Amino acid sequence: MLFYEEDFVLKNKLTLTDLFPYSNIYWLTIQNYVIIIIDSKLVTTAINEAMVSYLQTIGFHDFFGYLRPFFDGNAQAPSLTFINDSPLNQRFYLNDQQIVTDETVITIQRLPIFSYETFHSFLNSLEEEAALNYCFRYLTLLDHQLFDEHEMKDFFSNLFYQLFQHIEKFYSAYSLVNINKVTTLSIINNSLTHKKLIENVQTQFTHFEQLFYSFKSNHHEQLKQELIKFIKENASKKITLRDAADFFHFNYTYFSSFFSQHFDLNFTDFLTRIRIEKAKTLLTEHQQNISEISAAVGFSDISYFSRVFKKETGYSPSTYRRKGVHID
């Protein structure tokens, strides 16, 4: 059996000898381990139960041991050449189990395929909730099967690193809010067991969900105001929703959905309203003729401008100008 805390175990050496009467107990040390060899007639399960109970009784709760037969009947003395600590590497998968036997050793699998293309497609469309849901579904696969520890940790570290890059790219103005890249990656890499790693990853995904919700609330309002400004500044030109999406470097489908969710009108009607509001100002505060005003607000056909203006205000452009004030 191999243990880490040499001083603590050695202090209890005599008591341990009392636990196994009529048995020979050998104590060896190598690197950071204490190796206890119990030469006993007891069966493995009996030694296992006795050791767990004993170590917990003396307050040694955080231990991990590997219990196995070392010698055949002809062996004369213990030798370090018989020590094989490879099952200790499986502590990661055994969670709260404290002693491992040869029968406990499990087969580790390779990670299932994760579609980075799907993941990046969601992120690039600013559909972070969908991206995280995809990650949650993948995490469910890993929760029910056992995969290589280092491969899992490298995979999740890389995944979280890409989420941080996404935040820095699209939400840089809010990225200082309660978020720390080093801490997150450290939590993943320092997870001692498979169970703890899954729990930590799930917690971090939930944390990112909350962050994105907070970011998007602020980001959407900011984007809405910037979009209104863009439309006002370009109302005299022939612009479309796709032009706006390209200007803000957004996926057209996402931008169309965003516009529908945050404006009462579709893009064409909203643009028309902006143009008419600008025309109302020009009619009451400037001396340009109606034809010039029509062109200034993006209408190439004065008769079409007049029809749209009357539909929106209830007055023709000339009547509206004669009133001399805004009529709302």
Side-chain angles (χ1 to χ4, degrees):
M1 299 179 61
L2 287 72
F3 297 91
Y4 290 107
E5 297 187 24
E6 178 179 344
D7 289 342
F8 190 94
V9 175
L10 291 180
K11 287 178 183 177
N12 294 277
K13 179 178 179 180
L14 294 178
T15 309
L16 183 60
T17 304
D18 295 337
L19 186 64
F20 298 102
Y22 312 110
S23 302
N24 295 318
I25 299 179
Y26 304 88
W27 296 78
L28 304 169
T29 58
I30 181 173
Q31 298 176 350
N32 296 323
Y33 296 126
V34 174
I35 299 97
I36 306 173
I37 302 177
I38 303 173
D39 180 13
S40 174
K41 299 299 182 181
L42 294 174
V43 296
T44 300
T45 53
I47 296 177
N48 183 351
E49 293 174 1
M51 283 298 299
V52 170
S53 176
Y54 165 68
L55 289 169
Q56 289 179 343
T57 298
I58 61 176
F60 194 42
H61 298 280
D62 185 23
F63 71 90
F64 183 77
Y66 169 42
L67 189 62
R68 61 164 294 177
F70 275 107
F71 314 111
D72 59 29
N74 298 320
Q76 299 299 312
S79 169
L80 289 180
T81 59
F82 285 93
I83 301 298
N84 178 1
D85 68 346
S86 60
L88 289 175
N89 297 326
Q90 298 210 354
R91 182 180 192 182
F92 176 75
Y93 305 99
L94 301 171
N95 300 317
D96 298 328
Q97 186 170 335
Q98 295 178 310
I99 293 185
V100 186
T101 66
D102 280 349
E103 292 74 22
T104 313
V105 176
I106 54 181
T107 302
I108 308 304
Q109 307 175 66
R110 296 298 305 273
L111 286 175
I113 295 175
F114 179 87
S115 175
Y116 284 99
E117 182 179 356
T118 301
F119 178 67
H120 289 141
S121 175
F122 285 134
L123 290 183
N124 291 335
S125 300
L126 295 187
E127 298 178 70
E128 294 89 356
E129 183 178 358
L132 289 173
N133 284 337
Y134 182 73
C135 293
F136 273 121
R137 291 196 298 273
Y138 185 80
L139 185 62
T140 301
L141 295 177
L142 307 190
D143 194 19
H144 293 90
Q145 300 182 60
L146 300 179
F147 302 93
D148 181 77
E149 172 187 357
H150 302 293
E151 191 177 3
M152 289 179 68
K153 289 182 177 180
D154 288 345
F155 167 76
F156 283 118
S157 294
N158 178 51
L159 210 58
F160 284 117
Y161 185 79
Q162 292 181 51
L163 287 172
F164 281 116
Q165 285 187 315
H166 176 75
I167 288 175
E168 291 168 0
K169 180 179 179 180
F170 290 100
Y171 304 103
S172 57
Y174 316 107
S175 61
L176 298 179
V177 182
N178 193 26
I179 190 166
N180 189 302
K181 184 186 302 182
V182 175
T183 300
T184 298
L185 298 181
S186 177
I187 288 173
I188 300 305
N189 290 320
N190 292 330
S191 300
L192 294 178
T193 67
H194 175 269
K195 179 181 178 181
K196 194 63 180 176
L197 175 62
I198 298 297
E199 290 176 353
N200 287 338
V201 169
Q202 189 166 19
T203 298
Q204 292 304 313
F205 279 149
T206 301
H207 181 52
F208 271 92
E209 274 190 322
Q210 296 168 346
L211 285 174
F212 283 126
Y213 178 82
S214 173
F215 292 162
K216 290 178 85 70
S217 297
N218 294 320
H219 182 69
H220 284 172
E221 182 58 33
Q222 179 180 326
L223 179 58
K224 181 179 178 179
Q225 296 306 317
E226 290 179 355
L227 179 55
I228 293 173
K229 179 182 178 183
F230 170 81
I231 295 173
K232 287 182 176 180
E233 291 177 349
N234 294 277
S236 61
K237 304 175 184 177
K238 186 178 180 180
I239 59 171
T240 64
L241 181 62
R242 188 172 294 279
D243 294 325
D246 291 342
F247 179 82
F248 289 100
H249 306 291
F250 282 115
N251 173 278
Y252 175 76
T253 302
Y254 165 78
F255 207 68
S256 177
S257 175
F258 172 86
F259 199 93
S260 299
Q261 291 175 12
H262 294 84
F263 292 84
D264 296 331
L265 305 173
N266 62 39
F267 183 82
T268 300
D269 291 341
F270 188 80
L271 175 60
T272 298
R273 176 176 290 182
I274 294 294
R275 286 171 169 172
I276 296 304
E277 288 299 318
K278 185 176 181 181
K280 288 162 67 175
T281 300
L282 293 176
L283 285 167
T284 55
E285 298 180 6
H286 297 269
Q287 298 304 313
Q288 295 169 290
N289 61 46
I290 294 176
S291 177
E292 291 173 329
I293 291 175
S294 171
V297 296
F299 289 91
S300 58
D301 185 339
I302 186 173
S303 60
Y304 177 65
F305 164 67
S306 297
R307 289 198 305 272
V308 173
F309 190 90
K310 186 170 184 178
K311 179 182 178 182
E312 291 290 323
T313 66
Y315 297 88
S316 68
S318 56
T319 301
Y320 190 90
R321 168 170 271 176
R322 269 199 316 272
K323 297 290 183 179
V325 294
H326 283 272
I327 303 172
D328 296 313

